[in-house]
Amino acid sequence: MWPSLIAKAKAGGLDVIQTLVFWNLHEPQFDQFDFSGRRDIVRFIKEVQAQGLYVSLRIGPFIQGEWAYGGLPIWLRDVPDIVFRSDNEPFKYHMWRFTTKIVKMMKSEKLFASQGGPIILSQIENEYQLVEAAFGEKGPPYVKWAATMAVRLQTGVPWVMCKQSDAPDPVINACNGRRCGQTFVGPNSPNKPAIWTENWTSFYQVYGGKPDMRSAEDIAYQAALFVAKKGSYVNYYMYHGGTNFGRTASKYVLTSYYDQAPLDEYGLIRQPKWGHLKELHAAIKLCLKPLLSGVHSTFHLGQLQEAYVFKGNSEECAAFLVNNDNERNATVHYENSTYELPPESVSILPDCKIVAFNTAKVGTEYTTRSMKADQNLDSPDKWEEYKESIPNFDKTSWRANTLLEQMSATKDKSDYLWYTFRFQHESLDTGFVLKVNSLAHVLHAFVNGKFIGSAHGSHSNLFFALEKNVSLINGTNHVSLLSVMAGLPDSGSFLERRVTGLRRVRILNKNDVEDFTNYKWGYQVGLSGEKLNIYTEQGSSNIQWRRFGNSNHQRLTWYKTQFDAPKGNDPVALNLGSMGKGEAWVNGQSIGRYWVSFLTSEGSPSQTWYNVPRSFLNPKGNLLVLLEEENGNPLGISVDTVSITRVCGRVTSSYPPPVISWLGQNQTRSHKKKHGRRTKVQLRCPQRRKISKILFASFGTPFGGDCENYGFGRCHSSNSRTVVEKACIGRRTCSIPLSSKYFGGDPCPGIPKALLVDAICA
């Protein structure tokens, strides 16, 4: 997918691709490195270079990024006397070793800009100032050491530290967040540029949480404001987030990552974000000469309005007119002209005269993404199942006299750790309560092989308890507790000390409490199906599967079937809306954890569809294996295709024409007209699709600013649909100017016009 994603980013007006370096992906075991396949960072950077773009390489090597353990390899926990991210010799040694490894790889391939390569920036550490105080006197020396260590590697390009206001010279302090256009106080030295390493296009989502939406207008406003204040670099986090395949997501984070980005999880263009930012980029590049070499000045245009002006030699001039009022329009006067500024917006004037772009006026189309079922996997005859065995104390070989910390026990080899114990009960009483306190994420409890209940925490409530009534038998009772992690922590200080897993276990009745916390426990890391590689072709063939539904229902069941790849080239997703919680594999590749049963406050799953890249698929007979922890029903699963099915555009007479039509201030009016510098609605279907139907068209005063809940206004041209259908039906792209002449006359003279068109792509 890399070439097409990079190409779409370039088409969106980007100059630089920024990427993190995942230490735990590249060195999963000490001194055993892996740069193969999807881990081939050199190949990725060379692909970016081949398409003519630059690279910003965020080595970290702590990266956070909602990635398991913040990118740190789990084996670091076992290094004696280590304290992560502090003035600690063991940690500094391993950080230096890995950073040096990456830099040497880049140098050997001549990938730094100083060698003629694409890498123009590198990052060391990540948002350290947020946790620095926790390390006391060990914090500041670590910052200085990290900066010095990085600079001594002599890459020939600058290093940055994000969210580190005191980044030591010559390392550049950079901003992260939504509002760096307003909040960034600037570089800590006059010879450093203003850099914004993370302009959040939405936000990561957690199970039980709703999507965090951020408008194209707000992203563009902050980016334009940052540039107006002499900002040199703006990176969108994320421009494409993609998928947390396998178990790479951090605690409670969805498998889908930043799906609301300009390129969505599947790599489809998400409008209007992609197009509105493309217009912004084009407008800024029209200002290039004065931005780079002009004199910068600021003028007040009102109480909450400002002009940021760049004047170069001769007539080179660019102006950014800003309305900081988030509620009211503003009329401002600049250079003998009057300009209308919507609330919280920036107008860009590449010649200090004509508005090429306003951040609040979205002239780009809006698109609708649809999921279409290609195959319903609803035939019981095509499914097989394998029941996971429930181990008891006698079947375990690892013993300890206390509750073990889960990450230290599993070494991140599995999300699952069985805690088991047995005890004698000799009493006529049978009614008891099992109470378990946990710092893991999910708990499934079994007593004498029978399921008695589950409980789970949340991203905002890490500590949870299970409290269930249990019936005991006279004699030996077996308790088996399956503790589950839905991702490792990725942030905060002293990650090496972070405690997970079960913390206290008690059995109560009305007369007595028996505490089993410090007791003889038996442990099993992982599930038997995991150890058998049941999700691979070979492992699956070694298992005695049963026909679906042949035995009593039980938690922890593996399901297997096959499906064919949908025809065509549209992205593919599994609809797991009928499932509960678990993990899914296609042809041995994990497409990630799912947790459909964890509902939002509105009662809907946080994620229902799970991305299956076409490169994972064979034309026929693809093996699908799921581990279901709960009561999910695989007969409700479908194989869906993902596509853009609707395009909609709206412009008004106050909108600037598309930036691409800009010809500069010295062109004659007739020349401009000849080249079509007019406000227009532009619709574009994806490749291999054409506009098949016009759902709505109105030239006049239609309402519905964001192409939702639209309708006819008091003024409407009766020719609207006919004119639009003639221009668009049967075409992949079409352009309709906002022009009374084009629609055969003015339906309401003297009233500002708008044009809204909604169409089907098929």
Side-chain angles (χ1 to χ4, degrees):
M1 294 176 69
W2 294 349
S4 66
L5 291 168
I6 294 165
K8 289 174 183 176
K10 182 178 180 179
L14 299 196
D15 304 298
V16 186
I17 301 295
Q18 180 165 284
T19 185
L20 302 168
V21 180
F22 305 91
W23 188 357
N24 54 9
L25 204 63
H26 296 305
E27 194 181 8
Q29 304 295 327
F30 172 65
D31 209 31
Q32 295 180 21
F33 294 95
D34 188 352
F35 295 96
S36 63
R38 305 205 303 263
R39 300 168 176 83
D40 192 344
I41 189 168
V42 167
R43 181 180 171 187
F44 177 79
I45 292 173
K46 286 185 175 180
E47 179 62 39
V48 175
Q49 182 181 29
Q51 298 204 33
L53 302 182
Y54 296 112
V55 170
S56 172
L57 190 64
R58 300 178 70 179
I59 298 175
F62 171 80
I63 58 170
Q64 190 169 334
E66 294 71 60
W67 186 268
Y69 221 41
L72 300 177
I74 198 73
W75 54 260
L76 276 179
R77 289 174 63 93
D78 296 328
V79 174
D81 303 319
I82 197 166
V83 179
F84 297 171
R85 305 174 70 201
S86 70
D87 188 22
N88 169 267
E89 293 305 320
F91 181 76
K92 290 192 298 182
Y93 166 73
H94 286 288
M95 178 173 167
W96 165 81
R97 191 179 53 82
F98 181 74
T99 304
T100 302
K101 170 85 174 178
I102 297 299
V103 168
K104 284 184 175 179
M105 285 179 63
M106 301 302 115
K107 283 184 175 181
S108 69
E109 299 290 337
K110 295 183 168 26
L111 293 177
F112 286 106
S114 57
Q115 303 171 290
I119 302 173
I120 58 171
L121 282 173
S122 296
Q123 180 176 304
I124 196 73
E125 250 298 337
N126 188 78
E127 298 186 345
Y128 185 70
Q129 203 159 22
L130 296 179
V131 299
E132 185 174 351
F135 295 99
E137 63 181 16
K138 294 290 188 179
Y142 168 68
V143 174
K144 293 178 182 178
W145 169 85
T148 301
M149 181 268 290
V151 172
R152 283 178 177 170
L153 293 173
Q154 297 183 330
T155 62
V157 302
W159 288 87
V160 300
M161 282 183 170
C162 60
K163 281 194 176 181
Q164 190 70 38
S165 61
D166 62 350
D169 289 341
V171 176
I172 303 164
N173 57 303
C175 190
N176 284 2
R178 294 173 185 257
R179 301 172 57 242
C180 290
Q182 294 171 308
T183 61
F184 187 49
V185 297
N188 62 20
S189 173
N191 64 340
K192 297 179 184 179
I195 285 180
W196 188 355
T197 35
E198 291 187 15
N199 181 0
W200 301 334
T201 56
S202 59
F203 206 55
Y204 69 88
Q205 192 178 346
V206 298
Y207 291 109
K210 294 180 288 187
D212 188 306
M213 311 298 283
R214 190 179 179 204
S215 69
E217 297 94 318
D218 185 51
I219 300 169
Y221 168 66
Q222 290 291 338
L225 190 57
F226 191 79
V227 172
K229 295 180 178 180
K230 299 179 70 175
S232 294
Y233 175 93
V234 179
N235 175 75
Y236 300 106
Y237 191 99
M238 302 290 290
Y239 197 80
H240 170 68
T243 306
N244 289 315
F245 295 116
R247 299 184 301 107
T248 55
S250 64
K251 60 182 175 67
Y252 293 106
V253 170
L254 297 192
T255 296
S256 173
Y257 191 61
Y258 274 79
D259 185 39
Q260 297 296 321
L263 297 179
D264 71 12
E265 178 182 6
Y266 305 94
L268 299 176
I269 290 173
R270 182 176 290 282
Q271 299 280 32
K273 278 185 183 176
W274 185 89
H276 193 53
L277 294 177
K278 177 179 180 176
E279 288 277 288
L280 168 69
H281 305 151
I284 289 173
K285 286 172 186 176
L286 290 172
C287 309
L288 201 58
K289 287 185 179 180
L291 277 175
L292 291 176
S293 58
V295 177
H296 181 258
S297 56
T298 305
F299 304 96
H300 287 287
L301 303 176
Q303 188 174 2
L304 293 171
Q305 293 76 38
E306 297 169 300
Y308 296 89
V309 181
F310 298 81
K311 281 197 174 182
N313 298 327
S314 64
E315 295 184 356
E316 290 174 359
C317 182
F320 293 72
L321 308 185
V322 181
N323 181 12
N324 293 305
D325 192 324
N326 60 9
E327 294 181 351
R328 289 176 288 275
N329 290 318
T331 302
V332 299
H333 301 279
Y334 170 71
E335 292 289 323
N336 301 317
S337 295
T338 301
Y339 300 90
E340 296 291 329
L341 301 177
E344 216 164 41
S345 73
V346 178
S347 281
I348 299 178
L349 290 61
D351 58 1
C352 286
K353 296 177 182 178
I354 300 171
V355 176
F357 177 80
N358 179 274
T359 59
K361 296 179 178 179
V362 180
T364 303
E365 66 183 358
Y366 290 72
T367 55
T368 301
R369 187 179 73 185
S370 298
M371 310 295 198
K372 181 181 179 182
D374 182 83
Q375 299 163 59
N376 292 311
L377 307 181
D378 54 0
S379 173
D381 294 338
K382 294 184 178 180
W383 283 96
E384 294 178 287
E385 63 185 28
Y386 173 82
K387 304 292 187 182
E388 184 71 27
S389 59
I390 311 300
N392 61 32
F393 180 85
D394 295 335
K395 294 179 181 178
T396 62
S397 57
W398 184 9
R399 305 289 165 79
N401 293 325
T402 189
L403 293 172
L404 298 180
E405 194 281 319
Q406 186 158 347
M407 287 190 291
S408 298
T410 64
K411 311 295 185 188
D412 196 32
K413 297 297 184 185
S414 173
D415 284 349
Y416 303 98
L417 179 62
W418 284 103
Y419 293 74
T420 70
F421 70 98
R422 66 186 180 192
F423 67 100
Q424 291 295 120
H425 173 68
E426 303 293 344
S427 171
L428 296 177
D429 292 336
T430 57
F432 291 81
V433 175
L434 173 66
K435 190 168 185 178
V436 183
N437 299 104
S438 177
L439 278 172
H441 302 144
V442 182
L443 174 63
H444 303 298
F446 300 80
V447 174
N448 297 322
K450 294 181 179 179
F451 174 72
I452 63 163
S454 294
H456 65 81
S458 68
H459 189 263
S460 58
N461 185 18
L462 301 181
F463 192 82
F464 71 93
L466 176 141
E467 191 168 337
K468 293 290 182 180
N469 294 324
V470 295
S471 295
L472 302 179
I473 60 173
N474 280 331
T476 302
N477 288 266
H478 287 273
V479 177
S480 303
L481 304 173
L482 182 60
S483 181
V484 188
M485 297 288 288
L488 301 185
D490 74 324
S491 59
S493 56
F494 302 110
L495 267 177
E496 74 283 353
R497 304 178 191 173
R498 200 65 57 87
V499 175
T500 59
L502 306 190
R503 307 316 304 149
R504 192 176 187 188
V505 178
R506 291 170 290 168
I507 294 181
L508 307 80
N509 69 6
K510 55 188 176 182
N511 299 318
D512 190 24
V513 176
E514 189 163 2
D515 195 325
F516 293 91
T517 303
N518 295 308
Y519 196 74
K520 191 168 186 179
W521 288 84
Y523 292 93
Q524 177 183 303
V525 174
L527 305 177
S528 60
E530 290 180 294
K531 295 175 182 177
L532 295 168
N533 292 321
I534 195 172
Y535 44 82
T536 66
E537 195 73 51
Q538 182 175 349
S540 173
S541 64
N542 294 330
I543 299 297
Q544 187 66 45
W545 294 85
R546 296 188 178 186
R547 291 185 59 187
F548 175 79
N550 251 16
S551 56
N552 294 330
H553 179 77
Q554 175 195 300
R555 300 274 174 137
L556 301 173
T557 299
W558 298 81
Y559 296 104
K560 181 185 80 163
T561 191
Q562 291 190 343
F563 67 94
D564 296 336
K567 294 180 180 178
N569 295 292
D570 287 336
V572 177
L574 287 179
N575 182 339
L576 301 183
S578 64
M579 303 303 286
K581 181 187 180 302
E583 190 173 350
W585 292 261
V586 174
N587 294 329
Q589 298 270 8
S590 172
I591 63 169
R593 303 182 184 98
Y594 64 86
W595 198 349
V596 181
S597 62
F598 198 155
L599 305 180
T600 68
S601 58
E602 297 174 352
S604 58
S606 295
Q607 183 178 352
T608 300
W609 282 273
Y610 290 79
N611 180 24
V612 185
R614 282 200 176 260
S615 59
F616 287 8
L617 298 176
N618 304 313
K620 300 282 185 180
N622 294 285
L623 175 66
L624 170 61
V625 175
L626 301 103
L627 167 64
E628 172 60 32
E629 297 176 27
E630 300 179 344
N631 295 311
N633 181 5
L635 299 183
I637 295 174
S638 62
V639 181
D640 295 2
T641 54
V642 189
S643 60
I644 302 299
T645 54
R646 283 175 60 183
V647 290
C648 176
R650 177 188 180 273
V651 295
T652 74
S653 55
S654 71
Y655 280 38
V659 178
I660 196 172
S661 65
W662 179 274
L663 294 174
Q665 62 179 355
N666 294 321
Q667 300 296 330
T668 64
R669 181 175 300 175
S670 61
H671 197 178
K672 288 182 181 180
K673 183 177 180 181
K674 179 180 177 182
H675 283 77
R677 182 155 170 76
R678 295 185 290 181
T679 300
K680 60 187 75 173
V681 164
Q682 299 180 105
L683 302 180
R684 177 183 293 269
C685 290
Q687 290 184 347
R688 295 176 293 275
R689 279 184 165 73
K690 295 181 179 180
I691 295 170
S692 61
K693 183 179 181 181
I694 302 301
L695 297 174
F696 180 88
S698 178
F699 172 70
T701 58
F703 63 86
D706 59 356
C707 279
E708 292 187 8
N709 303 314
Y710 53 69
F712 298 109
R714 293 186 177 181
C715 171
H716 168 69
S717 171
S718 59
N719 293 330
S720 299
R721 180 179 290 272
T722 301
V723 169
V724 171
E725 287 180 341
K726 183 178 179 181
C728 298
I729 293 294
R731 298 181 179 180
R732 184 187 168 210
T733 66
C734 66
S735 179
I736 311 107
L738 182 68
S739 163
S740 295
K741 182 178 179 180
Y742 193 81
F743 284 90
D746 192 336
C748 45
I751 296 176
K753 304 299 186 299
L755 173 62
L756 195 154
V757 180
D758 191 7
I760 293 286
C761 291

